[in-house]
Amino acid sequence: MSARRDRRATQLFRLASLVLPPALAFELAFGAQHQGRLHGAVAMTLGPLWLLTALGLAARSIEALVDRSRARPEEGKASASLLDRLALLTSAGTSLAWLSSFSIALSVWVGWASLSVVGLFGLGLLHLVVLYRLAVAGGADPFRKASVTRSFMPATATEGEPVLEQLRLSRPRIPTGFRLFAEGRVGPRWTTSRYVVDDGASSGEIVLESEVGPARRGEHRAEPLLFWLQDVFGLTRSPYVRAGEAELTVLPRACPVRGDKALLSAGGADKEPRPALRMPTEGSLQIREYQPGDDARRVHWVRSLATGKLMVRLPDEVPPDLPSVRIVLDTFLPGTETFSCAAPATLLDALVEVWLSVAESLAQRGAKVTMVLPVTQRGPQGDSLAARSLRLGPATRAEARKLGALASWQASLPVESMLGKEPTYLVSCRVQPLLAGGAFAEKARWIVVPEPAWTCFDEPLPSRSVARLPLPLGVPDNRWARRKRATWAWWRGLGAHTAFTRHASGMTAPRGSFSARPMRQSPTAPRQIALEVMR
Amino acid sequence: MSARSSRIGEATVPLFYVLTVVSGLALLTARRLDELEAMGTLWLSVAVATAVGLGLAWFRARLWLALLVVFNAMWILPAVAVQVMHHMTGAWPVLSIFLLAFAPGALAAYFALSERLGLASFWFPAAIWMLSILDHSDDGALADPMSWVLLTALATLMLASFLLQESRRAALFQTHASRRLAPARPTVVLHKKPLRSVAQIAWAGSLGLVTLGLTGVVAPHLFQKEKFDGEHRGDTGAETDRAMEESGALPCCSGSSFDDEPEHRVREYFPFLHPRDEGHTAARPDACLACQNGVPITSGKAVAAAPGPYATATPASGAAAWNGQAWNGAPWTNGQPLPAGTATPVAQAPAPPPTVAPLLPPKLPKPAVAPVHIVPGHGAAPPSSARLPPIVVVKREEPIDLFPWLVAFAISAIVAQVSLRPLRRHLVVRHLLRPFWRETVDQRVSNLWQLVLIGLRDAGLYAGPEESPIELGKRAQIAGVDLCATVLERARHGVRVDAADLAAMEDAARAAYREARRRAGIFSRAGASLRWPLV
């Protein structure tokens, strides 16, 4: 709310800057001269400019009011407000308005000819550009007849891959003397792409590209880009127009897992056959003829007497078979949306990565892996959250990754609803008490993804040097208000990250649980996941 | 905008600022060759100030630090140079000029790279330029055509300065921010209107013209004039002049002797403007008297020089240069004695004037060294017996003003360069179609493809950086382009191209070139004839 109020105040100031400085200059400078010829000259030159500017502002105000009254309710909030349309000066234009008027006033006081020339140059240029802007760059420019196509290459990327954003503009309307600016991003953790197009490309076809990678996991609906026109002197701009929505799917990546064999053994489902725990009188009692070396205690005397040969009983064994494992992704963590830092999303990426990596690793070892995760399903009655399970195999590997891309934090489906009869591993960031308890709890083991091992607050602290500006001169982010805002955002982010670390940490893991940590053999080597037994 | 073009965009602003300041100083120096000491100091001060200001901007110094550095440099630099100053005779004027230019020069250079203080940064170059502009204007009302030429140049520089500053801001917009930015790739233009650049030039030119006219009409009314009497001449001289004027005698040759009205000059920051009589510049006497300190020389050693700003020549050898004729008390003119019996100017009424001519130099500008022809011999002192003041005829050779010639030369060069472009294009197209010398088949194929590209460019179609000729042929939808593209691809891949292929490609290329130019329209064709490079 405060940011909005600040924005309104800025817009009002800029609107006033269009009128107030020339009026003050006229009153202080031209009025003080008491010269008939000067008044005549001003009336013949600047007077019509001021009059036309006032008329243009009035016309644009009426147009904006008519547009708002005609707009449908759902469009009303999205469309530009009256102030958005009328506050057409940029910060440079506002500064020019005040500086040129100040120069004219100063030229009367100190009498330097250069001040009057510079001031009149500035004031004249400003009003001419404002008039031109009011005439040619109002309304829904620059997309009256244009089309904007936004796409990503590759359209389906894997987490960490470089992604190229491509923007194709066809027949954009960029009036002469203006530039088209565009700014936007895919989502909060993505880099911001910015474009500037000269008016030479107006009504033509241009392709803009920028490298927005590395890709972040998820099924993204990219935020629309913000377009506006700005004159080549940087004095005025048009209202913002949002356009260019696009979709991008980034699949989770799977890393090699170290220690997964221990995982199978601990689950009781590796490839080694196990003797059945049965009484000696139980079992299938398969027999065969005695061979040297057989245990004499296994001789079946009754059968031996009947056949006249020594017969022995075979040990009753579970035949070697593919063990079944259920890997459940636990995304139940209420309250993640309240944290303004990137840690929740980063941790979820880590959970999905561990979930997918472990499943693929076990599948490679021959286990029958069933992957389970809660997924939002869109239906005629609206979106609903349900557990989705998938038997991992060569044919379903791509589908499993797509499911991983859909994973998101949720607060309505606890992990108990996703347990099964098979040996189950719960991939979770914290050990939660199972509501189901009892029987299920005995079959489930935890693979804990500790939050501090996977996330860190790596946002650079904004420069606080008292002597140097953080960015080159001329960059708007050097302004004191923006620097202050950036510093506050950094501190807020740090606080949120600390709070989230506390929030995502759970109880002490029970014995036999596993901890998943990222590991690299060398700084340039690909990442691996190390599973360690928690004792 | 690529990183390289971004760097170029960032570097143009300081370069252009330096160019503006240096050109202003060069113009001023050309008008002040007789004040080399002051000009040298001004050059030195401006150079140091500009270097300090741009250095502070490059260092990203905050404003308070820039102010602190400039303030301290204003006493540190003179203190360092005190040894040099100690041996100088007119140290204080030099120091005052240095300090006068240093502080605003440094701050203006610093502001040149700022976000919003472009107008403030332009004031300093404008102040230097205004000296030359006002020098050309006798009445300070920009009545002289040369004043308008220079004012137009100043307006052009200001517009260009604003344009470059905004271009730099646009480049910074894409490369610097407090958030992470995606690196942008170069913009790919696939199609644009051919005559768009003409519209841009026309728009900028018309904007500049209107701004210039507005400034030229209003600014002179804001100019203030300051009186200059008593500063250039002593009271004694003024009284003597008045007395001689009342008696009808000729005035002294000294510069101040003609200033029978208080002198005025337009007030400006730099006190280099020469004072002028207020509306009396036409009333110049045809002859004058040799005076010393404003008093006509009647006895003793005659001073054959006109002290003051007009001439400072002093006879080198006095009596040795005297031609031996006896001084008979008759007045001399044009190197010849007047006929005997001619009344002396002192006793004679002002009308009719003696046949002396062509006479006195214009009041301003101050000539460097004007040759003085002294009537009674070549620099010889009149005989001590002479009782009447000698008439000194000052023949001043008008200095050759090189500026109009330079302007004419520059315009001629531009006109020649532009007018030769159609011829150059014609020769190139002719060579591509029918080479002037024998060329290989592969080279012919390449030439014909170049011809197609020239035609497509005339129609506003551009080849993308990774677009193959076949793809371009499909996109262009001009008959013949696809055939040319096919032959070109064959040649590129080493497939044999025989004479029939070449002939077919030549026909197709010619047809495609004509069709593309037909689509472009007559105005685009006319504009394309001036384009260079062709592709």
Side-chain angles (χ1 to χ4, degrees):
Chain A
M1 185 61 81
S2 173
R4 190 174 177 181
R5 197 171 54 239
D6 290 349
R7 191 164 145 259
R8 291 285 175 215
T10 305
Q11 285 178 328
L12 277 174
F13 174 71
R14 289 184 179 175
L15 183 58
S17 299
L18 202 55
V19 181
L20 212 54
L24 285 176
F26 184 81
E27 179 61 29
L28 294 176
F30 305 143
Q33 287 286 303
H34 301 298
Q35 292 180 9
R37 292 174 63 191
L38 174 64
H39 278 278
V42 171
M44 293 298 290
T45 53
L46 288 174
L49 277 182
W50 291 335
L51 187 65
L52 286 173
T53 305
L55 287 176
L57 281 174
R60 285 296 178 193
S61 307
I62 294 168
E63 183 193 47
L65 290 173
V66 169
D67 285 352
R68 285 186 72 81
S69 64
R70 285 180 182 170
R72 284 174 296 184
E74 64 270 18
E75 291 175 351
K77 288 180 181 175
S79 62
S81 68
L82 183 63
L83 262 182
D84 289 337
R85 290 218 185 174
L86 296 184
L88 45 86
L89 286 185
T90 61
S91 63
T94 309
S95 168
L96 182 67
W98 285 100
L99 278 178
S100 52
S101 301
F102 181 70
S103 291
I104 291 171
L106 202 62
S107 74
V108 174
W109 290 333
V110 300
W112 299 338
S114 53
L115 278 176
S116 62
V117 167
V118 166
L120 284 165
F121 266 145
L123 206 59
L125 180 68
L126 177 78
H127 279 86
L128 286 171
V129 173
V130 164
L131 269 180
Y132 184 70
R133 148 71 180 85
L134 285 169
V136 303
D141 285 312
F143 296 117
R144 282 178 182 164
K145 295 178 182 175
S147 69
V148 52
T149 310
R150 188 181 179 195
S151 59
F152 297 95
M153 291 188 299
T156 303
T158 302
E159 189 179 359
E161 274 184 356
V163 176
L164 192 71
E165 182 185 57
Q166 191 177 72
L167 203 66
R168 185 179 285 260
L169 299 173
S170 293
R171 299 174 61 79
R173 182 180 172 275
I174 310 173
T176 302
F178 277 79
R179 285 194 182 100
L180 176 65
F181 284 72
E183 182 183 28
R185 61 181 186 177
V186 178
R189 287 187 299 153
W190 292 74
T191 55
T192 302
S193 47
R194 288 175 165 179
Y195 305 102
V196 180
V197 183
D198 289 331
D199 60 348
S202 180
S203 302
E205 188 171 5
I206 51 174
V207 179
L208 307 167
E209 291 177 338
S210 62
E211 298 157 10
V212 297
R216 309 287 182 177
R217 182 205 60 84
E219 202 173 53
H220 304 283
R221 181 179 292 273
E223 297 173 2
L225 291 169
L226 214 58
F227 289 89
W228 72 97
L229 293 168
Q230 191 163 306
D231 66 85
V232 291
F233 299 106
L235 307 179
T236 62
R237 65 165 180 79
S238 69
Y240 295 122
V241 176
R242 293 178 189 276
E245 288 185 21
E247 290 187 352
L248 169 66
T249 302
V250 179
L251 306 175
R253 65 183 157 198
C255 303
V257 179
R258 297 180 66 179
D260 51 342
K261 191 165 186 301
L263 196 70
L264 263 186
S265 303
D270 60 359
K271 282 183 177 178
E272 300 298 324
R274 294 175 291 124
L277 299 174
R278 289 177 178 172
M279 297 301 289
T281 53
E282 295 175 346
S284 59
L285 298 177
Q286 291 180 354
I287 56 174
R288 62 169 168 82
E289 195 172 351
Y290 176 81
Q291 291 178 358
D294 282 346
D295 191 344
R297 290 174 298 178
R298 289 189 178 270
V299 175
H300 196 304
W301 296 110
V302 177
R303 290 282 180 173
S304 299
L305 286 173
T307 58
K309 299 175 186 175
L310 277 177
M311 304 298 289
V312 293
R313 288 175 300 183
L314 293 175
D316 200 1
E317 295 172 343
V318 175
D321 192 9
L322 298 176
S324 293
V325 179
R326 190 179 179 87
I327 312 272
V328 176
L329 178 64
D330 178 19
T331 58
F332 181 81
L333 190 62
T336 49
E337 66 279 357
T338 59
F339 298 98
S340 60
C341 57
T346 308
L347 181 61
L348 183 62
D349 291 350
L351 281 174
V352 174
E353 186 178 337
V354 170
W355 173 74
L356 187 69
S357 301
V358 167
E360 291 197 353
S361 178
L362 292 181
Q364 282 176 359
R365 286 188 173 274
K368 291 178 181 173
V369 179
T370 302
M371 305 175 72
V372 184
L373 82 163
V375 174
T376 304
Q377 292 177 330
R378 294 185 175 86
Q381 276 80 34
D383 296 350
S384 62
L385 197 68
R388 175 88 185 274
S389 60
L390 180 76
R391 173 64 66 87
L392 185 62
T396 56
R397 186 162 294 171
E399 193 179 350
R401 293 195 175 208
K402 281 184 183 173
L403 278 179
L406 295 176
S408 59
W409 292 118
Q410 45 91 18
S412 58
L413 196 65
V415 70
E416 289 84 347
S417 59
M418 293 182 282
L419 298 178
K421 292 181 179 176
E422 305 147 297
T424 302
Y425 289 101
L426 297 171
V427 179
S428 179
C429 61
R430 60 176 183 173
V431 179
Q432 305 164 72
L434 289 173
L435 299 177
F440 283 132
E442 288 177 3
K443 292 181 180 177
R445 289 176 184 273
W446 298 92
I447 298 177
V448 181
V449 178
E451 191 270 345
W454 289 87
T455 68
C456 66
F457 188 71
D458 55 356
E459 292 290 324
L461 176 65
S463 169
R464 303 183 73 184
S465 167
V466 293
R468 292 191 70 189
L469 291 166
L471 297 164
L473 252 72
V475 177
D477 287 351
N478 276 333
R479 293 179 205 161
W480 180 79
R482 293 198 184 192
R483 279 188 276 126
K484 184 181 160 193
R485 209 180 302 153
T487 305
W488 274 113
W490 188 88
W491 283 108
R492 270 202 312 274
L494 181 63
H497 187 93
T498 310
F500 180 73
T501 303
R502 283 198 299 270
H503 183 72
S505 303
M507 301 161 58
T508 307
R511 287 188 63 182
S513 299
F514 289 83
S515 163
R517 294 175 186 279
M519 190 185 74
R520 287 181 196 275
Q521 298 287 357
S522 68
T524 55
R527 189 160 75 180
Q528 295 182 338
I529 294 172
L531 290 178
E532 298 164 358
V533 181
M534 301 172 77
R535 301 182 189 281
Chain B
M1 197 174 287
S2 65
R4 184 172 177 273
S5 61
S6 169
R7 281 197 299 275
I8 292 173
E10 290 176 31
T12 47
V13 172
L15 286 176
F16 187 80
Y17 177 80
V18 171
L19 173 72
T20 309
V21 171
V22 166
S23 56
L25 281 176
L27 273 175
L28 183 64
T29 308
R31 304 280 303 175
R32 298 285 197 281
L33 287 174
D34 55 339
E35 300 172 26
L36 284 180
E37 188 174 288
M39 288 299 106
T41 310
L42 189 63
W43 273 92
L44 177 69
S45 175
V46 170
V48 173
T50 305
V52 168
L54 291 178
L56 286 168
W58 178 79
F59 180 70
R60 303 180 184 179
R62 290 183 191 268
L63 181 60
W64 71 264
L65 183 62
L67 290 172
L68 187 73
V69 168
V70 171
F71 177 77
N72 284 303
M74 287 183 68
W75 64 267
I76 289 175
L77 287 177
V80 169
V82 71
Q83 290 300 322
V84 180
M85 310 284 287
H86 181 70
H87 299 294
M88 291 175 65
T89 49
W92 173 243
V94 170
L95 187 62
S96 66
I97 291 173
F98 184 89
L99 295 179
L100 203 60
F102 180 78
L107 289 178
Y110 176 79
F111 291 152
L113 296 179
S114 68
E115 184 196 357
R116 293 178 279 192
L117 296 175
L119 190 78
S121 79
F122 196 77
W123 168 76
F124 183 71
I128 297 175
W129 271 76
M130 283 305 292
L131 296 175
S132 302
I133 292 170
L134 293 172
D135 248 7
H136 282 92
S137 181
D138 280 340
D139 56 354
L142 304 178
D144 191 85
M146 190 52 73
S147 298
W148 277 96
V149 170
L150 292 178
L151 191 65
T152 307
L154 183 64
T156 309
L157 286 174
M158 184 173 174
L159 285 185
S161 168
F162 280 11
L163 279 172
L164 289 175
Q165 284 177 5
E166 173 60 11
S167 296
R168 177 176 178 270
R169 284 195 289 264
L172 290 173
F173 169 77
Q174 289 190 279
T175 51
H176 292 90
S178 56
R179 69 185 83 171
R180 286 180 301 131
L181 294 180
R185 291 189 174 185
T187 302
V188 178
V189 179
L190 299 176
H191 180 215
K192 73 175 185 181
K193 286 186 174 177
L195 287 180
R196 195 69 186 177
S197 55
V198 178
Q200 294 167 4
I201 294 170
W203 179 79
S206 55
L207 200 67
L209 276 178
V210 176
T211 309
L212 174 70
L214 187 147
T215 305
V217 170
V218 179
H221 297 291
L222 290 171
F223 291 172
Q224 294 182 16
K225 293 172 183 171
E226 52 190 1
K227 285 187 179 177
F228 224 70
D229 53 344
E231 200 172 311
H232 274 231
R233 59 177 182 172
D235 290 341
T236 308
E239 287 170 5
T240 309
D241 286 348
R242 277 195 293 274
M244 291 181 71
E245 186 183 11
E246 286 166 5
S247 65
L250 289 176
C252 287
C253 291
S254 62
S256 58
S257 299
F258 301 126
D259 301 335
D260 43 5
E261 289 295 325
E263 291 177 322
H264 291 78
R265 69 177 181 188
V266 176
R267 192 179 290 173
E268 185 47 271
Y269 175 72
F270 288 109
F272 293 141
L273 280 174
H274 286 165
R276 299 171 188 283
D277 287 348
E278 193 75 358
H280 289 267
T281 49
R284 294 289 176 198
D286 295 329
C288 59
L289 302 178
C291 304
Q292 190 170 30
N293 293 329
V295 179
I297 300 166
T298 54
S299 62
K301 184 181 178 184
V303 177
Y310 298 112
T312 54
T314 304
S317 54
W322 182 246
N323 60 9
Q325 293 180 12
W327 175 257
N328 56 5
W332 288 59
T333 183
N334 277 344
Q336 298 295 327
L338 291 178
T342 305
T344 59
V346 174
Q348 214 174 26
T355 56
V356 290
L359 294 178
L360 295 172
K363 174 78 173 170
L364 284 173
K366 183 187 289 186
V369 177
V372 178
H373 301 276
I374 301 165
V375 179
H378 302 287
S384 59
S385 60
R387 309 295 287 176
L388 294 174
I391 298 174
V392 177
V393 181
V394 180
K395 284 180 76 175
R396 179 176 175 273
E397 293 177 5
E398 285 293 329
I400 299 173
D401 194 357
L402 287 178
F403 187 72
W405 288 97
L406 287 175
V407 171
F409 178 75
I411 293 173
S412 305
I414 292 171
V415 169
Q417 208 269 346
V418 171
S419 59
L420 282 176
R421 283 187 176 185
L423 177 64
R424 186 160 54 169
R425 176 190 168 104
H426 178 75
L427 289 174
V428 170
V429 170
R430 165 70 175 73
H431 176 73
L432 293 177
L433 257 178
R434 293 190 301 278
F436 291 116
W437 53 85
R438 282 184 67 83
E439 288 193 321
T440 62
V441 173
D442 285 353
Q443 187 59 51
R444 288 293 314 280
V445 169
S446 174
N447 286 356
L448 291 171
W449 180 248
Q450 284 296 311
L451 182 70
V452 171
L453 289 181
I454 291 172
L456 293 179
R457 177 80 188 271
D458 290 351
L461 285 165
Y462 294 73
E466 296 172 2
E467 194 174 29
S468 69
I470 301 282
E471 290 171 338
L472 177 63
K474 285 178 184 170
R475 182 164 64 86
Q477 294 185 337
I478 292 176
V481 180
D482 46 357
L483 175 65
C484 294
T486 307
V487 178
L488 179 73
E489 290 284 9
R490 287 179 58 190
R492 280 181 179 175
H493 291 92
V495 180
R496 183 170 176 273
V497 177
D498 55 22
D501 293 331
L502 194 61
M505 183 177 185
E506 190 176 324
D507 292 341
R510 184 181 280 117
Y513 179 76
R514 284 181 184 160
E515 174 63 16
R517 284 177 59 78
R518 190 190 64 77
R519 282 192 191 180
I522 185 168
F523 294 112
S524 296
R525 283 202 296 274
S529 64
L530 298 175
R531 188 185 69 234
W532 194 266
L534 292 175
V535 177

